[in-house]
Amino acid sequence: MGAFLVEGPCRLQGEVQIGGAKNSALKLMVAALLGQGAFCLENVPHITDVCTMAEVLESLGARVRFNAQRMEIEVNALQGRTPEHLVKSMRASVQVMGPLLARLGWVEVALPGGCAIGRRPLDIHLSGLQQMGASIALNGERLVARAPRGLRGADITFRYPSVGATENIMMAAVLAKGETVIRNAAREPEIADVQAFLNAMGARVTGAGTEVIRIEGVGELGCANFVVMPDRIEAGTYLLALLTTGGAGTVCSVRPEHLSPLLNAVRSMGAEIAVDGDRISVAAPKRLRPFGLVTRPYPGFPTDLQPQMVAAATQAHGRSELRETVFDQRFGYLTELRKLGAVARQKGQVVAIHGPTKLHGTRLEAGDLRAGAALVVAALAAEGQSLIHGSQHIDRGYEALERKLSGLGARIRRVE
């Protein structure tokens, strides 16, 4: 377990290249289990979650080769029991349930782990699979799902637009008998990436990106090559790092339309934004204005940028307020942010941040992926050294964070 040593303050400037989307790549890897043959995924981020998922796939019988940003997956014979230690380290591992149940008629998976940011119930996943004819039982800390006669299409309405459940049921449905309709589906761009990949394999899926997704089951799927979409959360994190440090710079290889909620918020703070094709440039104003925000499912403001936004608020002139509506325990990082000198008061699911605050470097602990990124952003604006422990959390979602920030002028290095 390592740490990042940050020397601040520094004004970030320059260009940074954005990699492939973590939340797309992981699901595309799982979707490959539905087909047969050789797959090639390009623009895959070299992060620990992707490496963990590669181990999950290999434990199920697939062969994975990963070099730079290119991943080759060979899928033939599979088995349906996942290793407990891998699933408990990453919540996205539960996504194998739908594909394996559809392909094999059974799956046994440990209850998933991942970031400690509150309750993330599986009932939406399990209810959807049950409506498609699966029987599900809990055996200790393992879920056992069976559909020996195959899954059948169903008309399913989610109580909440869960991204993971939308993708899990969508993948299960492509090999089910008949049509499946998912209502109140999540609308995140990564889901459209999964739909495009499945259809390239021979599936019949429409509606991703809307509240209603329709899947017409097919008998079998083949293989496909695919390029992973850019990571909008990584892009947003670097934009907010530029803003928080009073800097100016450009994030490259992005899809600006996926970042509209953040760009609107940043403009409201007085920043100058320029969009040119797949490039977004930001220039911080002399005085950052405060903001009011509410996190919501896409196309609302993303919860995965909430901690970084709070870090930026410490440098705004006035009182900012942010309400979290997606995860019930996402403010755990505030204790660490206050160690830097931030004035942030939480009441229920609302945090009020008073600024601007002169931050001072100190020892910090990253408790989860996005919280860790926010602490790095805040440390870049703080005077003196900050030692941020828990780099393994940050490595789950950011490839070469210290190299990319150094390219923008940050004084940051990894220490063991």
Side-chain angles (χ1 to χ4, degrees):
M1 294 188 183
F4 288 111
L5 183 64
V6 179
E7 180 76 37
C10 61
R11 183 174 180 269
L12 300 184
Q13 298 181 79
E15 295 186 353
V16 60
Q17 193 76 19
I18 301 305
K22 164 186 181 285
N23 290 328
S24 173
L26 294 174
K27 312 305 172 59
L28 299 178
M29 292 170 67
V30 169
L33 298 174
L34 286 159
Q36 296 188 60
F39 298 80
C40 180
L41 300 178
E42 303 277 3
N43 200 33
V44 179
H46 210 291
I47 53 178
T48 55
D49 269 12
V50 165
C51 294
T52 300
M53 185 63 84
E55 290 186 66
V56 171
L57 264 59
E58 289 185 322
S59 74
L60 296 170
R63 295 178 61 189
V64 181
R65 291 180 293 275
F66 189 21
N67 182 36
Q69 278 68 48
R70 178 187 176 93
M71 177 175 288
E72 296 175 354
I73 305 171
E74 188 173 337
V75 180
N76 292 301
L78 296 174
Q79 63 92 20
R81 181 182 172 89
T82 61
E84 185 171 337
H85 72 284
L86 293 176
V87 178
K88 283 188 172 295
S89 70
M90 183 181 64
R91 181 178 176 81
S93 304
V94 77
Q95 301 291 155
V96 303
M97 286 192 71
L100 290 177
L101 193 57
R103 175 87 186 269
L104 304 177
W106 70 279
V107 62
E108 186 174 332
V109 61
L111 293 175
C115 284
I117 53 177
R119 290 172 295 182
R120 304 170 79 177
L122 291 175
D123 65 294
I124 303 176
H125 299 245
L126 304 184
S127 174
L129 293 173
Q130 287 172 324
Q131 290 178 66
M132 297 174 70
S135 63
I136 299 174
L138 185 61
N139 182 7
E141 291 197 3
R142 300 187 69 85
L143 287 166
V144 181
R146 299 189 183 280
R149 297 183 180 178
L151 297 171
R152 60 178 182 271
D155 197 313
I156 300 167
T157 301
F158 290 158
R159 63 171 177 80
Y160 180 85
S162 162
V163 175
T166 298
E167 293 164 332
N168 221 346
I169 301 306
M170 186 168 72
M171 287 189 277
V174 297
L175 294 180
K177 298 180 181 70
E179 184 185 55
T180 298
V181 181
I182 304 173
R183 304 184 191 276
N184 197 28
R187 298 165 58 189
E188 273 69 6
E190 294 80 8
I191 297 170
D193 236 22
V194 175
Q195 172 181 283
F197 183 55
L198 291 171
N199 287 345
M201 294 163 62
R204 299 174 182 170
V205 186
T206 59
T210 75
E211 295 179 350
V212 180
I213 298 176
R214 297 179 183 276
I215 308 101
E216 185 66 40
V218 299
E220 62 179 15
L221 296 178
C223 55
N225 299 331
F226 201 79
V227 180
V228 179
M229 63 176 279
D231 195 313
R232 60 194 173 98
I233 304 302
E234 184 192 20
T237 299
Y238 286 109
L239 284 172
L240 288 173
L242 289 161
L243 186 70
T244 305
T245 61
T250 303
V251 294
C252 307
S253 301
V254 298
R255 294 186 186 170
E257 65 273 20
H258 294 165
L259 287 156
S260 294
L262 173 65
L263 299 185
N264 290 337
V266 168
R267 286 191 184 98
S268 76
M269 298 175 73
E272 294 182 13
I273 298 289
V275 177
D276 181 13
D278 65 352
R279 298 160 57 89
I280 302 174
S281 298
V282 63
K286 291 183 179 179
R287 287 171 60 95
L288 273 180
R289 294 196 292 262
F291 61 83
L293 275 179
V294 180
T295 64
R296 299 189 191 281
Y298 191 86
F301 190 88
T303 181
D304 279 354
L305 287 175
Q306 180 252 93
Q308 302 91 307
M309 199 70 185
V310 169
T314 66
Q315 303 307 300
H317 289 248
R319 179 183 184 275
S320 298
E321 184 175 288
L322 196 149
R323 178 183 296 272
E324 173 62 46
T325 69
V326 179
F327 294 123
D328 60 350
Q329 295 177 29
R330 187 136 225 182
F331 289 129
Y333 65 91
L334 291 178
T335 300
E336 301 301 303
L337 203 57
R338 292 187 190 107
K339 291 179 183 178
L340 290 164
V343 180
R345 299 183 175 90
Q346 180 188 358
K347 186 175 182 181
Q349 291 299 100
V350 178
V351 62
I353 312 98
H354 297 266
T357 305
K358 196 168 186 178
L359 304 177
H360 298 276
T362 187
R363 296 173 67 94
L364 302 165
E365 186 71 40
D368 67 70
L369 168 56
R370 306 305 176 186
L375 294 178
V376 171
V377 169
L380 292 168
E383 288 192 355
Q385 286 190 345
S386 295
L387 186 64
I388 304 164
H389 293 274
S391 60
Q392 73 275 8
H393 293 296
I394 299 170
D395 291 338
R396 289 185 52 220
Y398 295 91
E399 180 178 358
L401 178 77
E402 69 275 27
R403 176 178 60 79
K404 291 187 178 184
L405 284 173
S406 295
L408 294 171
R411 297 182 294 275
I412 178 173
R413 60 187 176 91
R414 188 183 294 265
V415 296
E416 298 299 327

